[in-house]
Amino acid sequence: MGDVEAALDERDPEFIRRRLADTWPLVRRWFRAEVRGLELIPDGPVLVVGNHSGGNLTPDSVILALAYNEYAGAERPSYALTDDIGPTSTRSSFFRKFGAISPSPRHAKAAFDRDAVVLVYPGNNEVHRPSWHRHRIDLGGRHGWARLARDHNVPVVPAVAIGGQETALFLTRGETLARALRLDRLFGIRELPLSIALPWGLNVGDFLGHIPLPAKIVIQLLPPMTVGDDPRAAYREITGRMQAALTGMAAERRFPVIG
């Protein structure tokens, strides 16, 4: 467990406080960010499960992390289960200092043992779904997070975000294109997403990220839920509640981007 504990110890509250001071005001103004229900996150270990959008640079996940640290204080331990690829990965010392850790059960357990808030976004490829599917919860059937909550007897707080898929015009995940170029066989790349985004115009793969449009982003946290003996049933119930919340939030929006 030494390597796991070392990874968790990289989270740096003083670094987080400094970055909150110079980053959060800019992010909040650009996206007119609104985060509702942070008070619903209980004390003790908890798993926050969210949907996210916006291509490889996901503004809603950054907004939630910043807003929670502003609300609860950097001293309360909070971590995000993050892949080791992409701009917000555990390869970045910046995000490790913010609490990015490997999405392994060992890392999650160690964080729960510290009474931490653990954030996870299971819908890995939802960030490239077409913009006209922006009001759909799409966690891809991944219910490992529900097993994790059950195994460690921690509540799940759903976090529902809207607006991220309006920061560019997302056209397709690009599964067919990846197969046609044999990227799946040659490199294990199953998607080559296409979007219209600044400053590139046609953005292939979003490998270098993009400049997000200042779409209004709203995040609503829902009351804590308990995962019972059946993680698949919990997945259906929780994603159903998330979809109902997202549908309601979509009804509140007047126009794309404007909010």
Side-chain angles (χ1 to χ4, degrees):
M1 289 291 289
D3 58 332
V4 173
E5 294 297 331
L8 269 63
D9 287 341
E10 285 198 58
R11 184 181 183 274
D12 185 343
E14 180 57 35
F15 176 84
I16 292 172
R17 280 190 289 270
R18 293 198 306 269
R19 295 288 74 81
L20 280 173
D22 57 33
T23 303
W24 180 223
L26 296 174
V27 171
R28 183 168 50 192
R29 288 172 187 160
W30 183 258
F31 295 108
R32 291 161 288 145
E34 184 179 347
V35 182
R36 309 168 181 167
L38 288 169
E39 71 282 356
L40 295 173
I41 297 178
D43 295 332
V46 59
L47 184 65
V48 177
V49 177
N51 69 306
H52 64 341
S53 304
N56 288 342
L57 296 173
T58 53
D60 40 24
S61 59
V62 173
I63 286 169
L64 181 54
L66 292 171
Y68 180 73
N69 279 284
E70 176 75 11
Y71 171 81
E75 293 300 332
R76 181 173 183 191
S78 59
Y79 296 92
L81 302 180
T82 309
D83 290 331
D84 61 358
I85 57 173
T88 60
S89 75
T90 54
R91 295 181 183 271
S92 165
S93 62
F94 180 95
F95 289 103
R96 290 199 306 272
K97 290 179 180 179
F98 250 96
I101 57 175
S102 170
S104 72
R106 293 172 64 229
H107 284 78
K109 178 185 183 303
F112 291 142
D113 288 344
R114 297 187 179 195
D115 285 342
V117 174
V118 177
L119 174 62
V120 63
Y121 288 100
N124 197 31
N125 64 352
E126 67 177 338
V127 298
H128 294 295
R129 70 193 185 280
S131 289
W132 46 93
H133 292 170
R134 64 190 180 277
H135 298 151
R136 295 183 186 179
I137 297 292
D138 182 8
L139 303 190
R142 298 181 177 91
H143 57 273
W145 54 270
R147 292 198 308 272
L148 190 68
R150 179 201 62 187
D151 293 345
H152 297 287
N153 193 30
V154 299
V156 171
V157 172
V160 182
I162 193 170
Q165 216 65 2
E166 299 169 11
T167 57
L169 178 60
F170 295 92
L171 303 174
T172 176
R173 289 187 173 103
E175 298 99 330
T176 301
L177 181 58
R179 287 195 300 272
L181 296 175
R182 303 187 56 153
L183 297 180
D184 54 340
R185 295 187 179 184
L186 294 174
F187 305 107
I189 297 175
R190 298 182 179 180
E191 298 179 353
L192 190 62
L194 301 178
S195 61
I196 305 296
L198 296 174
W200 319 112
L202 180 62
N203 185 17
V204 180
D206 201 28
F207 298 117
L208 299 177
H210 60 277
I211 300 173
L213 296 174
K216 179 173 177 56
I217 293 180
V218 179
I219 301 174
Q220 175 68 61
L221 280 78
L222 306 182
M225 301 178 64
T226 301
V227 174
D229 294 333
D230 187 348
R232 293 179 183 273
Y235 174 94
R236 291 191 296 270
E237 180 180 1
I238 293 173
T239 55
R241 293 193 186 186
M242 293 174 72
Q243 182 62 67
L246 182 57
T247 300
M249 294 162 70
E252 297 174 3
R253 279 177 102 76
R254 295 166 299 168
F255 302 103
V257 181
I258 296 173

